[in-house]
């Protein structure tokens, strides 16, 4: 990493992450390293879905979708709530939704050649 001076818009240094924070982040990235799980998370970042809707939306077999959702839930990326007999899934919080969005925005720059920018 290169240091930037304050005139260039640098922020004050932050405390380094703890071992537990790094391991949790690594596990989250590991879960998102699967194409089916990333597609599921993209959908779940925009709202709640049941397994049937997710299966139809991504075209994967229901048992596979259920297994991926279980892994995402164990990793703390997805939460559930009951609606009668249905279980609805969604991205856990705004941090997870931003993580998915930023990963896919980054990919869009890589694939489309859109110029990079710093915010």
């Amino acid at each position: 990493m290169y240091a930037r001076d304050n005139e260039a818009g640098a922020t004050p240094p932050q405390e380094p992450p703890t071992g537990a924070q790094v391991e949790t982040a690594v596990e989250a990235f590991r879960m998102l390293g699967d194409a089916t799980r990333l597609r599921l998370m993209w959908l779940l970042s925009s709202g709640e879905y049941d397994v049937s809707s997710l299966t139809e939306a991504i075209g994967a077999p229901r048992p596979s979708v259920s297994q991926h959702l279980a892994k995402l839930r164990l990793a703390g990326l997805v939460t559930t709530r009951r609606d009668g007999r249905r279980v609805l899934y969604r991205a856990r919080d705004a941090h997870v939704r931003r993580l998915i969005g930023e990963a896919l925005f980054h990919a869009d720059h890589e694939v489309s050649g859109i110029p990079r920018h710093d915010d």
Side-chain angles (χ1 to χ4, degrees):
M1 255 192 321
Y2 295 98
R4 298 185 299 171
D5 63 22
N6 283 333
E7 290 178 26
T11 58
Q14 297 178 0
E15 291 292 318
T18 66
Q21 289 170 323
V22 169
E23 288 305 314
T24 300
V26 166
E27 182 60 23
F29 285 121
R30 186 177 293 125
M31 287 294 108
L32 298 173
D34 177 89
T36 299
R37 287 194 289 267
L38 186 56
R39 285 184 175 97
L40 289 169
M41 288 304 302
W42 179 79
L43 287 168
L44 296 172
S45 292
S46 65
E48 293 182 315
Y49 292 85
D50 63 11
V51 175
S52 296
S53 299
L54 290 167
T55 298
E56 185 178 324
I58 66 168
R62 185 181 180 98
S64 174
V65 169
S66 292
Q67 288 177 356
H68 286 299
L69 288 169
K71 289 179 182 181
L72 291 167
R73 189 173 177 198
L74 285 173
L77 298 172
V78 168
T79 60
T80 62
R81 75 174 179 89
R82 284 210 168 270
D83 181 31
R85 294 180 57 196
R86 295 182 325 150
V87 175
L88 298 173
Y89 294 83
R90 66 178 176 169
R92 179 170 209 103
D93 56 30
H95 294 292
V96 172
R97 289 188 298 273
R98 280 194 302 273
L99 178 64
I100 301 305
E102 289 299 324
L104 292 170
F105 290 144
H106 168 73
D108 191 29
H109 284 276
E110 291 292 319
V111 171
S112 69
I114 297 171
R116 299 187 182 286
H117 53 88
D118 286 327
D119 293 337

